Amino acid sequence: MATWLGEDGMDAFSYLSVLVSLILGLAITEVLEGLRNVIQARARLRSYWPGLLWAALVMVLAVQSWWAMYDLRLRSDWTFPDFAAVLAQTIVLYLLAALVLPEHRGEGDVDLRAHYDAQRRWFFSLLVLLIVASLARHWVLLGDLQHGADLAFHGVFALLGFGGIVLAGARWQAVLALAGAALIFAYIALLFMRLG
């Protein structure tokens, strides 16, 4: 299989992955800045552990996405729809990162529970959209849906996202955060422990 190389010797994946890496880097930056703001406001902070756990999980998802995209280096016949499908998933992940923690630099109190409650439906809607974007990316690039455990994990993640949208109670949100952590770490452990 021939690989496209530009005049500078850069293959298509190396070129296209720059933008994807930038967006994933921005997603990680969003979470880190949110955590920095939380730490700096700790004296005025009303903490809420499910929100903090989701922040950590969004960071893990961003790193896992970057890790998993290494397999795309083998693809040589890129089209704009192929790249758009990859980019769409990355953009949704960035938006998740932008919502997960409050943007706070003032002197007032920081209420993570109030922020979580205000953003919950948008956050979990984006989580469902991330699953749809992941399935669409696979469909566009490979012409089918994921198989076996990968497809099952996507289905469970989607159900978790819908649960987050409709279940407003604090106990439900705590259960969903813990389930999200278990699912993400099981997904990585079973399907993405080794690079490429």
Side-chain angles (χ1 to χ4, degrees), residues 83-93 130 133:
F83 182 60
V86 172
L87 203 56
Q89 181 181 1
T90 308
I91 290 168
V92 174
L93 189 51
L130 181 66

Side-chain angles (χ1 to χ4, degrees), residues 24 27 58 61-63 65 88-98 130:
L24 289 174
V58 168
L61 285 173
V63 172
S65 291
Q89 181 181 1
T90 308
I91 290 168
V92 174
L93 189 51
Y94 169 80
L95 293 173
L96 271 173
L130 181 66

Side-chain angles (χ1 to χ4, degrees), residues 42-172:
R42 65 189 172 277
R44 305 178 319 275
L45 179 70
R46 181 175 174 220
S47 189
Y48 185 60
W49 71 263
L52 292 171
L53 180 55
W54 278 114
L57 294 175
V58 168
M59 174 100 71
V60 170
L61 285 173
V63 172
Q64 185 276 330
S65 291
W66 187 70
W67 178 270
M69 287 188 191
Y70 183 69
D71 283 346
L72 297 178
R73 79 194 185 289
L74 302 173
R75 187 177 190 84
S76 61
D77 57 337
W78 285 93
T79 65
F80 189 79
D82 295 342
F83 182 60
V86 172
L87 203 56
Q89 181 181 1
T90 308
I91 290 168
V92 174
L93 189 51
Y94 169 80
L95 293 173
L96 271 173
L99 282 182
V100 73
L101 290 172
E103 184 176 306
H104 181 80
R105 295 202 173 114
E107 294 298 319
D109 291 342
V110 178
D111 188 339
L112 293 183
R113 172 74 184 266
H115 174 79
Y116 185 92
D117 289 342
Q119 302 301 331
R120 177 181 57 82
R121 286 192 173 144
W122 273 96
F123 179 82
F124 284 104
S125 295
L126 285 169
L127 186 62
V128 171
L129 186 58
L130 181 66
I131 299 308
V132 171
S134 177
L135 293 169
R137 179 186 61 88
H138 198 277
W139 181 270
V140 169
L141 294 178
L142 301 173
D144 63 3
L145 292 176
Q146 283 90 338
H147 302 284
D150 199 4
L151 184 58
F153 273 109
H154 278 74
V156 175
F157 278 123
L159 289 174
L160 186 140
F162 284 119
I165 294 167
V166 299
L167 301 170
R171 286 187 182 163
W172 280 114

